[in-house]
Coordinates of all heavy atoms in Angstrom, one line a residue:
M1 N 87.1 -200.6 30.9 CA 86.2 -199.8 31.6 C 84.9 -199.7 30.8 O 84.9 -199.5 29.6 CB 86.8 -198.4 31.8 CG 86.0 -197.5 32.7 SD 87.0 -196.2 33.4 CE 86.5 -194.9 32.3
S2 N 83.8 -199.9 31.4 CA 82.5 -199.9 30.7 C 81.9 -198.5 30.6 O 82.1 -197.6 31.4 CB 81.5 -200.8 31.5 OG 80.2 -200.7 31.0
N3 N 81.3 -198.3 29.4 CA 80.6 -197.0 29.2 C 79.2 -196.9 29.6 O 78.5 -195.9 29.4 CB 80.8 -196.6 27.7 CG 82.2 -196.2 27.3 OD1 82.9 -195.8 28.2 ND2 82.5 -196.4 26.1
E4 N 78.7 -198.0 30.1 CA 77.3 -198.1 30.5 C 77.1 -197.4 31.8 O 77.9 -197.4 32.7 CB 76.9 -199.6 30.6 CG 76.9 -200.3 29.3 CD 76.3 -201.7 29.4 OE1 75.5 -201.9 30.3 OE2 76.7 -202.5 28.6
P5 N 75.9 -196.7 32.0 CA 75.6 -196.0 33.2 C 75.5 -196.9 34.4 O 75.1 -198.1 34.2 CB 74.3 -195.3 32.9 CG 73.7 -196.0 31.8 CD 74.8 -196.6 31.0
I6 N 75.8 -196.4 35.5 CA 75.8 -197.3 36.8 C 74.3 -197.5 37.1 O 73.9 -198.6 37.5 CB 76.4 -196.5 37.9 CG1 77.9 -196.4 37.7 CG2 76.2 -197.3 39.3 CD1 78.7 -195.5 38.6
S7 N 73.4 -196.5 36.9 CA 72.0 -196.7 37.2 C 71.2 -196.1 36.0 O 71.6 -195.1 35.5 CB 71.6 -195.9 38.4 OG 70.2 -195.9 38.6
S8 N 70.2 -196.9 35.6 CA 69.4 -196.4 34.5 C 68.3 -195.5 34.9 O 67.6 -194.9 34.1 CB 68.9 -197.6 33.7 OG 68.1 -198.4 34.5
K9 N 68.1 -195.4 36.3 CA 67.0 -194.6 36.8 C 67.6 -193.3 37.3 O 68.5 -193.2 38.0 CB 66.4 -195.3 38.0 CG 65.2 -194.6 38.6 CD 64.5 -195.4 39.7 CE 63.2 -194.6 40.0 NZ 63.0 -194.4 41.4
S10 N 66.9 -192.2 36.8 CA 67.3 -190.9 37.2 C 67.1 -190.6 38.6 O 66.0 -191.0 39.2 CB 66.6 -189.8 36.3 OG 66.9 -188.5 36.8
Q11 N 68.0 -190.0 39.3 CA 67.8 -189.6 40.7 C 67.3 -188.2 40.9 O 67.2 -187.7 42.0 CB 69.1 -189.9 41.5 CG 69.5 -191.3 41.5 CD 70.8 -191.6 42.2 OE1 71.4 -190.7 42.8 NE2 71.3 -192.8 42.2
T12 N 67.0 -187.6 39.7 CA 66.5 -186.2 39.7 C 65.0 -186.2 40.1 O 64.3 -187.0 39.5 CB 66.8 -185.5 38.4 OG1 68.2 -185.6 38.1 CG2 66.3 -184.1 38.4
D13 N 64.6 -185.3 40.9 CA 63.2 -185.1 41.3 C 62.6 -184.2 40.2 O 62.4 -183.0 40.5 CB 63.1 -184.6 42.7 CG 61.6 -184.5 43.2 OD1 60.7 -184.7 42.4 OD2 61.4 -184.2 44.4
W14 N 62.2 -184.8 39.1 CA 61.7 -184.0 38.0 C 60.4 -183.3 38.3 O 60.1 -182.1 37.9 CB 61.5 -184.8 36.7 CG 62.8 -185.3 36.2 CD1 63.3 -186.6 36.2 CD2 63.8 -184.6 35.6 NE1 64.5 -186.7 35.7 CE2 64.9 -185.4 35.3 CE3 64.0 -183.2 35.3 CZ2 66.1 -185.0 34.7 CZ3 65.2 -182.8 34.7 CH2 66.2 -183.7 34.4
Q15 N 59.5 -183.9 39.1 CA 58.2 -183.2 39.5 C 58.5 -182.0 40.3 O 57.9 -180.9 40.1 CB 57.4 -184.2 40.3 CG 56.8 -185.3 39.4 CD 55.9 -186.2 40.2 OE1 56.0 -186.3 41.4 NE2 54.9 -186.8 39.5
R16 N 59.5 -182.0 41.2 CA 59.8 -180.8 42.0 C 60.4 -179.7 41.1 O 60.0 -178.6 41.2 CB 60.8 -181.2 43.1 CG 61.2 -180.0 44.0 CD 62.1 -180.4 45.1 NE 63.4 -180.9 44.6 CZ 64.4 -180.0 44.3 NH1 64.3 -178.7 44.5 NH2 65.6 -180.5 43.8
L17 N 61.2 -180.1 40.2 CA 61.8 -179.1 39.3 C 60.8 -178.5 38.4 O 60.8 -177.3 38.1 CB 62.9 -179.8 38.5 CG 64.2 -180.1 39.2 CD1 65.2 -180.8 38.3 CD2 64.8 -178.9 39.8
D18 N 59.9 -179.3 37.9 CA 58.8 -178.8 37.0 C 57.9 -177.8 37.7 O 57.4 -176.9 37.1 CB 58.0 -180.0 36.4 CG 58.7 -180.8 35.3 OD1 59.7 -180.2 34.8 OD2 58.3 -181.9 35.1
A19 N 57.7 -178.0 39.0 CA 56.9 -177.2 39.8 C 57.5 -175.9 40.2 O 56.8 -174.9 40.6 CB 56.4 -177.9 41.1
M20 N 58.8 -175.8 40.1 CA 59.6 -174.6 40.5 C 59.3 -173.4 39.5 O 59.2 -173.6 38.3 CB 61.1 -174.8 40.5 CG 61.5 -175.7 41.6 SD 63.3 -176.1 41.6 CE 63.9 -174.6 42.2
T21 N 59.3 -172.2 40.1 CA 59.2 -171.0 39.3 C 60.6 -170.4 39.2 O 61.5 -170.9 40.0 CB 58.3 -170.0 39.9 OG1 58.8 -169.6 41.2 CG2 56.9 -170.5 40.1
D22 N 60.8 -169.4 38.4 CA 62.1 -168.8 38.3 C 62.6 -168.2 39.7 O 63.7 -168.3 40.0 CB 62.1 -167.7 37.3 CG 62.0 -168.2 35.8 OD1 62.2 -169.4 35.6 OD2 61.8 -167.4 34.9
E23 N 61.6 -167.7 40.4 CA 61.9 -167.1 41.7 C 62.4 -168.2 42.7 O 63.1 -167.8 43.7 CB 60.7 -166.4 42.3 CG 60.3 -165.1 41.5 CD 59.6 -165.4 40.2 OE1 59.0 -166.4 40.1 OE2 59.7 -164.5 39.3
D24 N 62.0 -169.4 42.5 CA 62.4 -170.5 43.4 C 63.9 -170.9 43.3 O 64.4 -171.6 44.1 CB 61.5 -171.7 43.2 CG 60.1 -171.5 43.6 OD1 59.8 -170.6 44.5 OD2 59.2 -172.1 43.0
I25 N 64.5 -170.5 42.2 CA 65.8 -171.0 41.8 C 66.8 -170.1 42.5 O 66.8 -168.8 42.4 CB 66.1 -171.0 40.3 CG1 65.1 -171.9 39.7 CG2 67.5 -171.4 40.0 CD1 65.1 -171.8 38.1
D26 N 67.7 -170.7 43.3 CA 68.8 -169.9 44.0 C 69.9 -169.7 43.1 O 70.7 -170.6 42.8 CB 69.2 -170.7 45.3 CG 70.3 -170.0 46.1 OD1 70.5 -168.8 45.8 OD2 70.9 -170.7 46.9
L27 N 70.1 -168.4 42.7 CA 71.2 -168.1 41.8 C 72.3 -167.3 42.6 O 73.2 -166.7 41.9 CB 70.7 -167.2 40.7 CG 69.7 -167.9 39.8 CD1 69.1 -166.9 38.8 CD2 70.3 -169.1 39.1
S28 N 72.3 -167.4 43.9 CA 73.3 -166.6 44.7 C 74.7 -166.9 44.4 O 75.6 -166.1 44.6 CB 72.9 -166.7 46.2 OG 73.1 -168.1 46.6
D29 N 75.0 -168.2 44.0 CA 76.4 -168.6 43.7 C 76.7 -168.4 42.2 O 77.8 -168.8 41.8 CB 76.6 -170.0 44.2 CG 75.8 -171.0 43.5 OD1 74.7 -170.6 42.9 OD2 76.1 -172.2 43.5
C30 N 75.8 -167.9 41.4 CA 76.1 -167.7 40.0 C 76.4 -166.2 39.7 O 75.6 -165.3 40.1 CB 74.9 -168.1 39.2 SG 74.4 -169.8 39.3
P31 N 77.5 -165.9 39.1 CA 77.8 -164.5 38.9 C 77.0 -163.9 37.8 O 76.5 -164.6 36.9 CB 79.3 -164.5 38.5 CG 79.5 -165.9 37.9 CD 78.6 -166.8 38.7
E32 N 76.8 -162.6 37.8 CA 76.1 -161.9 36.7 C 77.0 -162.0 35.5 O 78.2 -161.9 35.6 CB 75.8 -160.4 37.1 CG 74.7 -160.2 38.1 CD 73.4 -160.5 37.5 OE1 73.1 -160.2 36.3 OE2 72.5 -161.1 38.2
I33 N 76.4 -162.1 34.3 CA 77.2 -162.1 33.1 C 77.5 -160.6 32.7 O 76.6 -159.8 32.5 CB 76.4 -162.8 31.9 CG1 76.2 -164.2 32.3 CG2 77.2 -162.6 30.6 CD1 75.4 -165.0 31.3
T34 N 78.8 -160.4 32.6 CA 79.3 -159.0 32.3 C 79.4 -158.9 30.8 O 79.5 -159.9 30.1 CB 80.6 -158.7 32.9 OG1 81.6 -159.6 32.4 CG2 80.5 -158.9 34.5
P35 N 79.5 -157.7 30.2 CA 79.8 -157.6 28.8 C 81.1 -158.2 28.4 O 81.2 -158.8 27.3 CB 79.8 -156.0 28.6 CG 79.0 -155.5 29.7 CD 79.2 -156.4 30.8
E36 N 82.1 -158.2 29.3 CA 83.4 -158.8 28.9 C 83.2 -160.3 28.8 O 83.8 -161.0 27.9 CB 84.4 -158.5 30.0 CG 84.8 -157.0 30.1 CD 83.8 -156.1 30.8 OE1 82.9 -156.6 31.5 OE2 83.9 -154.9 30.6
M37 N 82.4 -160.9 29.7 CA 82.2 -162.4 29.6 C 81.4 -162.7 28.4 O 81.7 -163.7 27.7 CB 81.4 -162.8 30.9 CG 82.2 -162.7 32.2 SD 81.1 -162.8 33.6 CE 80.6 -164.5 33.6
F38 N 80.4 -161.9 28.1 CA 79.6 -162.1 26.9 C 80.5 -162.1 25.6 O 80.3 -162.8 24.7 CB 78.5 -161.1 26.8 CG 77.5 -161.3 25.7 CD1 76.6 -162.3 25.7 CD2 77.6 -160.5 24.5 CE1 75.7 -162.5 24.7 CE2 76.8 -160.7 23.5 CZ 75.8 -161.7 23.5
A39 N 81.4 -161.1 25.6 CA 82.3 -161.0 24.4 C 83.1 -162.2 24.2 O 83.6 -162.5 23.1 CB 83.2 -159.7 24.6
K40 N 83.4 -163.0 25.2 CA 84.2 -164.2 25.1 C 83.4 -165.4 24.9 O 84.0 -166.5 24.8 CB 85.1 -164.3 26.4 CG 86.1 -163.3 26.5 CD 86.9 -163.5 27.8 CE 88.0 -162.4 28.0 NZ 88.7 -162.5 29.2
A41 N 82.1 -165.3 24.8 CA 81.2 -166.4 24.6 C 81.5 -167.2 23.3 O 82.0 -166.6 22.3 CB 79.8 -166.0 24.6
V42 N 81.2 -168.4 23.3 CA 81.4 -169.2 22.1 C 80.1 -169.4 21.4 O 79.1 -169.7 22.1 CB 82.0 -170.6 22.5 CG1 82.1 -171.5 21.3 CG2 83.4 -170.5 23.1
I43 N 80.1 -169.2 20.1 CA 78.8 -169.4 19.3 C 78.6 -170.8 19.0 O 79.6 -171.5 18.5 CB 78.9 -168.5 18.0 CG1 79.0 -167.1 18.4 CG2 77.7 -168.8 17.2 CD1 77.9 -166.5 19.2
R44 N 77.4 -171.3 19.2 CA 77.1 -172.7 18.8 C 76.7 -172.7 17.3 O 75.8 -172.0 16.9 CB 76.0 -173.3 19.6 CG 76.3 -173.4 21.1 CD 75.2 -173.9 21.9 NE 74.1 -172.9 21.8 CZ 72.9 -173.1 22.2 NH1 72.5 -174.3 22.6 NH2 72.0 -172.1 22.1
R45 N 77.4 -173.5 16.5 CA 77.1 -173.5 15.1 C 76.1 -174.6 14.8 O 76.0 -175.6 15.6 CB 78.4 -173.8 14.3 CG 79.4 -172.6 14.4 CD 80.5 -172.8 13.4 NE 81.4 -171.7 13.5 CZ 81.4 -170.6 12.7 NH1 80.6 -170.6 11.7 NH2 82.3 -169.7 12.8
G46 N 75.5 -174.5 13.7 CA 74.5 -175.6 13.3 C 73.1 -175.4 13.8 O 72.3 -176.2 13.7
L47 N 72.9 -174.2 14.4 CA 71.5 -173.9 14.9 C 70.7 -173.6 13.7 O 71.1 -173.1 12.7 CB 71.5 -172.7 15.9 CG 72.3 -173.0 17.2 CD1 72.3 -171.7 18.0 CD2 71.7 -174.1 18.0
P48 N 69.4 -173.9 13.7 CA 68.5 -173.6 12.6 C 68.5 -172.1 12.4 O 68.3 -171.3 13.3 CB 67.2 -174.2 13.0 CG 67.2 -174.4 14.4 CD 68.7 -174.6 14.8
S49 N 68.6 -171.7 11.1 CA 68.5 -170.3 10.8 C 67.1 -169.8 10.7 O 66.2 -170.6 10.2 CB 69.3 -169.9 9.6 OG 68.8 -170.6 8.5
A50 N 66.9 -168.6 11.0 CA 65.5 -168.0 10.8 C 65.3 -167.8 9.3 O 66.1 -167.4 8.6 CB 65.5 -166.6 11.6
K51 N 64.1 -168.1 8.9 CA 63.7 -168.0 7.5 C 63.3 -166.6 7.1 O 63.2 -166.3 5.9 CB 62.6 -169.0 7.2 CG 63.0 -170.4 7.4 CD 62.0 -171.3 6.9 CE 62.2 -172.8 7.3 NZ 63.4 -173.4 6.9
N52 N 63.1 -165.7 8.1 CA 62.6 -164.4 7.8 C 63.7 -163.3 8.1 O 63.6 -162.5 9.0 CB 61.4 -164.0 8.6 CG 61.6 -164.2 10.1 OD1 62.6 -164.8 10.5 ND2 60.7 -163.7 10.8
K53 N 64.8 -163.4 7.3 CA 65.9 -162.4 7.5 C 65.6 -161.2 6.7 O 64.9 -161.2 5.6 CB 67.2 -163.1 7.0 CG 67.6 -164.2 7.9 CD 69.0 -164.6 7.7 CE 69.4 -165.7 8.7 NZ 70.8 -165.8 8.9
S54 N 66.1 -160.1 7.2 CA 65.9 -158.8 6.5 C 67.3 -158.2 6.2 O 68.2 -158.3 7.0 CB 65.2 -157.8 7.4 OG 64.0 -158.2 7.7
Q55 N 67.4 -157.7 5.0 CA 68.7 -157.1 4.6 C 68.6 -155.6 5.1 O 67.7 -154.9 4.8 CB 68.9 -157.1 3.1 CG 70.2 -156.6 2.7 CD 70.5 -156.8 1.2 OE1 69.8 -157.5 0.5 NE2 71.5 -156.2 0.7
V56 N 69.7 -155.2 5.8 CA 69.7 -153.9 6.4 C 71.1 -153.3 6.1 O 72.1 -154.0 5.8 CB 69.5 -153.9 7.9 CG1 68.1 -154.3 8.2 CG2 70.5 -154.7 8.7
T57 N 71.2 -152.0 6.3 CA 72.5 -151.3 6.3 C 72.8 -151.0 7.7 O 72.0 -150.4 8.4 CB 72.4 -150.0 5.4 OG1 72.1 -150.3 4.1 CG2 73.8 -149.3 5.5
L58 N 73.9 -151.4 8.2 CA 74.3 -151.3 9.6 C 75.7 -150.7 9.7 O 76.6 -151.2 9.1 CB 74.2 -152.6 10.3 CG 74.6 -152.7 11.7 CD1 73.5 -152.0 12.6 CD2 74.6 -154.2 12.2
R59 N 75.8 -149.6 10.4 CA 77.2 -149.0 10.6 C 77.9 -149.7 11.7 O 77.4 -149.7 12.9 CB 77.0 -147.5 10.8 CG 76.4 -146.8 9.6 CD 76.6 -145.3 9.7 NE 76.0 -144.7 8.6 CZ 76.6 -144.5 7.4 NH1 77.9 -144.9 7.2 NH2 76.0 -143.9 6.4
I60 N 79.0 -150.3 11.4 CA 79.8 -151.1 12.4 C 81.2 -150.5 12.3 O 81.7 -150.2 11.2 CB 79.8 -152.6 12.1 CG1 78.4 -153.1 12.2 CG2 80.7 -153.3 13.1 CD1 78.3 -154.6 11.8
D61 N 81.9 -150.3 13.4 CA 83.2 -149.9 13.4 C 84.1 -150.8 12.5 O 83.9 -152.0 12.5 CB 83.8 -149.9 14.8 CG 83.2 -148.8 15.7 OD1 82.6 -147.9 15.2 OD2 83.3 -149.0 17.0
S62 N 85.0 -150.1 11.7 CA 85.8 -150.9 10.7 C 86.6 -152.0 11.4 O 86.6 -153.1 10.8 CB 86.7 -149.9 10.0 OG 86.0 -149.0 9.3
D63 N 87.2 -151.8 12.5 CA 88.0 -152.8 13.2 C 87.2 -154.0 13.6 O 87.6 -155.1 13.5 CB 88.8 -152.2 14.3 CG 88.0 -151.6 15.4 OD1 86.9 -151.1 15.1 OD2 88.4 -151.6 16.6
V64 N 85.9 -153.7 14.0 CA 85.0 -154.8 14.5 C 84.7 -155.6 13.2 O 84.7 -156.9 13.3 CB 83.8 -154.2 15.1 CG1 82.7 -155.3 15.4 CG2 84.1 -153.5 16.4
L65 N 84.3 -155.0 12.2 CA 83.9 -155.7 10.9 C 85.1 -156.5 10.4 O 84.9 -157.7 10.0 CB 83.4 -154.8 9.9 CG 83.0 -155.4 8.6 CD1 81.8 -156.4 8.8 CD2 82.5 -154.3 7.6
E66 N 86.3 -155.9 10.4 CA 87.5 -156.6 9.9 C 87.8 -157.8 10.8 O 88.2 -158.9 10.3 CB 88.7 -155.7 9.8 CG 88.6 -154.7 8.7 CD 88.3 -155.3 7.4 OE1 89.0 -156.3 7.0 OE2 87.4 -154.8 6.6
W67 N 87.6 -157.7 12.1 CA 87.8 -158.9 13.0 C 86.9 -160.0 12.6 O 87.3 -161.1 12.5 CB 87.7 -158.5 14.4 CG 88.0 -159.6 15.3 CD1 89.3 -160.0 15.7 CD2 87.1 -160.6 15.9 NE1 89.2 -161.1 16.5 CE2 87.8 -161.5 16.6 CE3 85.7 -160.7 15.8 CZ2 87.3 -162.5 17.3 CZ3 85.1 -161.8 16.5 CH2 85.9 -162.7 17.2
F68 N 85.6 -159.7 12.5 CA 84.6 -160.7 12.1 C 85.0 -161.4 10.8 O 84.9 -162.6 10.6 CB 83.2 -160.2 12.1 CG 82.5 -160.2 13.5 CD1 82.4 -159.1 14.2 CD2 82.0 -161.4 14.0 CE1 81.9 -159.1 15.5 CE2 81.4 -161.4 15.2 CZ 81.4 -160.3 16.0
K69 N 85.3 -160.5 9.8 CA 85.7 -161.1 8.5 C 86.9 -162.0 8.6 O 87.0 -163.0 7.9 CB 85.9 -159.9 7.5 CG 84.7 -159.3 7.0 CD 85.0 -158.2 6.0 CE 83.8 -157.7 5.3 NZ 84.2 -156.7 4.2
S70 N 87.8 -161.6 9.5 CA 89.1 -162.4 9.6 C 88.8 -163.8 10.2 O 89.6 -164.7 10.1 CB 90.1 -161.7 10.5 OG 89.7 -161.7 11.9
Q71 N 87.6 -164.0 10.8 CA 87.2 -165.3 11.4 C 86.8 -166.3 10.3 O 86.7 -167.5 10.6 CB 86.1 -165.1 12.4 CG 86.3 -164.1 13.5 CD 87.6 -164.5 14.3 OE1 87.6 -165.6 14.9 NE2 88.5 -163.6 14.3
G72 N 86.7 -165.8 9.1 CA 86.4 -166.7 8.0 C 85.0 -166.6 7.5 O 84.2 -165.8 7.9
R73 N 84.7 -167.6 6.7 CA 83.4 -167.7 6.1 C 82.3 -167.8 7.2 O 82.5 -168.4 8.2 CB 83.3 -169.0 5.2 CG 82.2 -169.0 4.3 CD 82.5 -170.1 3.2 NE 81.2 -170.2 2.5 CZ 80.6 -171.3 2.3 NH1 81.1 -172.4 2.7 NH2 79.5 -171.3 1.6
G74 N 81.2 -167.1 6.9 CA 80.0 -167.2 7.8 C 80.1 -166.1 8.9 O 79.4 -166.2 9.9
Y75 N 80.9 -165.0 8.7 CA 81.0 -164.0 9.7 C 79.7 -163.3 9.9 O 79.3 -162.9 11.0 CB 82.1 -163.0 9.3 CG 81.8 -162.1 8.2 CD1 81.3 -160.8 8.4 CD2 82.1 -162.4 6.9 CE1 81.0 -160.0 7.4 CE2 81.8 -161.6 5.8 CZ 81.3 -160.3 6.1 OH 81.0 -159.5 5.0
Q76 N 78.8 -163.1 8.8 CA 77.5 -162.5 9.0 C 76.6 -163.3 9.9 O 75.9 -162.8 10.7 CB 76.9 -162.2 7.7 CG 77.6 -161.1 6.9 CD 77.1 -160.9 5.5 OE1 76.5 -161.8 4.9 NE2 77.2 -159.7 5.0
T77 N 76.7 -164.6 9.7 CA 75.9 -165.5 10.5 C 76.4 -165.5 12.0 O 75.5 -165.5 12.9 CB 76.0 -167.0 10.0 OG1 75.5 -167.0 8.6 CG2 75.2 -168.0 10.8
Q78 N 77.7 -165.3 12.2 CA 78.2 -165.2 13.5 C 77.7 -163.9 14.2 O 77.4 -163.9 15.4 CB 79.7 -165.3 13.5 CG 80.4 -165.4 14.8 CD 81.9 -165.5 14.8 OE1 82.5 -165.3 13.8 NE2 82.4 -165.9 15.9
I79 N 77.8 -162.8 13.4 CA 77.3 -161.6 14.0 C 75.8 -161.7 14.4 O 75.4 -161.3 15.4 CB 77.5 -160.4 13.0 CG1 79.0 -160.1 12.8 CG2 76.8 -159.2 13.4 CD1 79.3 -159.2 11.7
N80 N 75.0 -162.3 13.5 CA 73.6 -162.5 13.8 C 73.4 -163.4 15.0 O 72.5 -163.1 15.9 CB 72.9 -163.1 12.6 CG 71.4 -163.1 12.7 OD1 70.8 -162.1 12.7 ND2 70.8 -164.3 12.9
A81 N 74.2 -164.4 15.2 CA 74.0 -165.3 16.3 C 74.4 -164.6 17.6 O 73.7 -164.8 18.6 CB 74.9 -166.5 16.1
L82 N 75.4 -163.7 17.6 CA 75.8 -162.9 18.7 C 74.6 -162.0 19.1 O 74.3 -161.8 20.3 CB 77.1 -162.2 18.5 CG 78.3 -162.9 18.7 CD1 79.5 -162.1 18.2 CD2 78.5 -163.3 20.2
L83 N 74.1 -161.3 18.1 CA 73.0 -160.4 18.4 C 71.8 -161.1 18.9 O 71.1 -160.6 19.8 CB 72.6 -159.6 17.1 CG 73.7 -158.6 16.6 CD1 73.3 -158.1 15.3 CD2 73.9 -157.5 17.6
R84 N 71.5 -162.3 18.4 CA 70.4 -163.1 18.9 C 70.6 -163.5 20.3 O 69.7 -163.4 21.1 CB 70.1 -164.3 18.0 CG 69.0 -165.2 18.5 CD 68.6 -166.3 17.5 NE 68.1 -165.7 16.3 CZ 66.9 -165.1 16.2 NH1 66.1 -165.1 17.3 NH2 66.5 -164.6 15.1
A85 N 71.8 -164.0 20.6 CA 72.1 -164.4 22.0 C 71.9 -163.3 23.0 O 71.4 -163.4 24.1 CB 73.5 -165.0 22.1
Y86 N 72.4 -162.1 22.6 CA 72.3 -160.9 23.4 C 70.8 -160.6 23.6 O 70.4 -160.2 24.7 CB 73.1 -159.7 22.8 CG 73.1 -158.5 23.6 CD1 74.1 -158.3 24.6 CD2 72.1 -157.5 23.5 CE1 74.1 -157.2 25.4 CE2 72.1 -156.4 24.3 CZ 73.1 -156.2 25.2 OH 73.2 -155.1 26.0
M87 N 70.1 -160.6 22.5 CA 68.6 -160.3 22.6 C 67.9 -161.2 23.6 O 67.1 -160.8 24.4 CB 68.0 -160.4 21.2 CG 66.5 -160.2 21.2 SD 65.8 -160.6 19.6 CE 65.8 -162.4 19.6
E88 N 68.2 -162.5 23.5 CA 67.5 -163.5 24.3 C 67.9 -163.4 25.8 O 67.0 -163.6 26.6 CB 67.8 -164.9 23.8 CG 67.1 -165.2 22.5 CD 67.4 -166.5 21.8 OE1 68.2 -167.3 22.4 OE2 66.9 -166.8 20.7
V89 N 69.1 -163.0 26.1 CA 69.5 -162.8 27.4 C 68.8 -161.6 28.0 O 68.5 -161.5 29.2 CB 71.1 -162.7 27.5 CG1 71.5 -162.1 28.9 CG2 71.7 -164.0 27.2
H90 N 68.6 -160.6 27.2 CA 68.1 -159.3 27.7 C 66.6 -159.1 27.5 O 66.0 -158.1 27.7 CB 68.8 -158.1 27.1 CG 70.2 -158.1 27.6 ND1 71.2 -158.8 27.1 CD2 70.7 -157.4 28.7 CE1 72.3 -158.5 27.8 NE2 72.1 -157.7 28.7
R91 N 65.9 -160.2 27.0 CA 64.5 -160.1 26.8 C 63.7 -160.0 28.1 O 64.1 -160.7 29.1 CB 64.1 -161.4 26.0 CG 62.7 -161.3 25.3 CD 62.5 -162.5 24.6 NE 62.9 -162.3 23.2 CZ 63.0 -163.2 22.3 NH1 62.7 -164.5 22.5 NH2 63.4 -162.9 21.1
C92 N 62.7 -159.2 28.2 CA 62.0 -159.0 29.4 C 60.9 -160.0 29.6 O 60.3 -160.5 28.7 CB 61.4 -157.6 29.5 SG 62.7 -156.4 29.6

C-alpha cells in the first residue's frame, strides 16, 4: 500500500474559508464544552513556555494538589497549561 496522497491538489476552497467570519461558521452540530469535558481534556506537552512567569502563593484544595503531584514531574507546568487553556477558551 502506498503512503503517497491520491491528489496533491487541495480540494479545500481556502479563499472562501479565509473570507468567513466567526458568525458564518455553523456550530449547530458542535456541543458546548462543559466543565466536565474540560476536566477530561488532554494537555499538549512541548508547547513553548512563557518567559514571563510570576511566582505566586495560591490556595488549592489538598486533594487537587496531591492529584497533580501524583501525575509526576512537571505538575506545576500542567496546572499552568490547564489554566492557560481555560483562559483562552473564555477570553472575550
Side-chain angles (χ1 to χ4, degrees):
M1 193 157 98
S2 174
N3 288 334
E4 293 185 27
I6 295 172
S7 171
S8 60
K9 184 174 188 231
S10 173
Q11 296 179 7
T12 303
D13 186 351
W14 294 111
Q15 287 181 335
R16 182 179 65 84
L17 289 176
D18 286 341
M20 289 177 77
T21 65
D22 288 348
E23 292 76 26
D24 295 330
I25 300 171
D26 178 15
L27 299 174
S28 62
D29 62 340
C30 299
E32 287 289 322
I33 296 176
T34 64
E36 293 79 17
M37 293 165 68
F38 183 77
K40 293 180 181 178
V42 176
I43 299 298
R44 296 178 295 166
R45 294 190 180 259
L47 297 176
S49 62
K51 298 188 188 305
N52 57 346
K53 294 197 176 200
S54 299
Q55 185 171 349
V56 297
T57 300
L58 179 65
R59 296 193 181 275
I60 300 175
D61 293 338
S62 297
D63 60 330
V64 173
L65 181 59
E66 288 306 313
W67 184 83
F68 274 101
K69 283 184 173 183
S70 75
Q71 303 305 300
R73 195 166 172 231
Y75 73 92
Q76 291 175 332
T77 301
Q78 188 177 16
I79 292 170
N80 190 68
L82 277 169
L83 292 171
R84 176 170 297 287
Y86 185 88
M87 176 189 76
E88 289 176 359
V89 166
H90 291 86
R91 199 175 265 173
C92 294

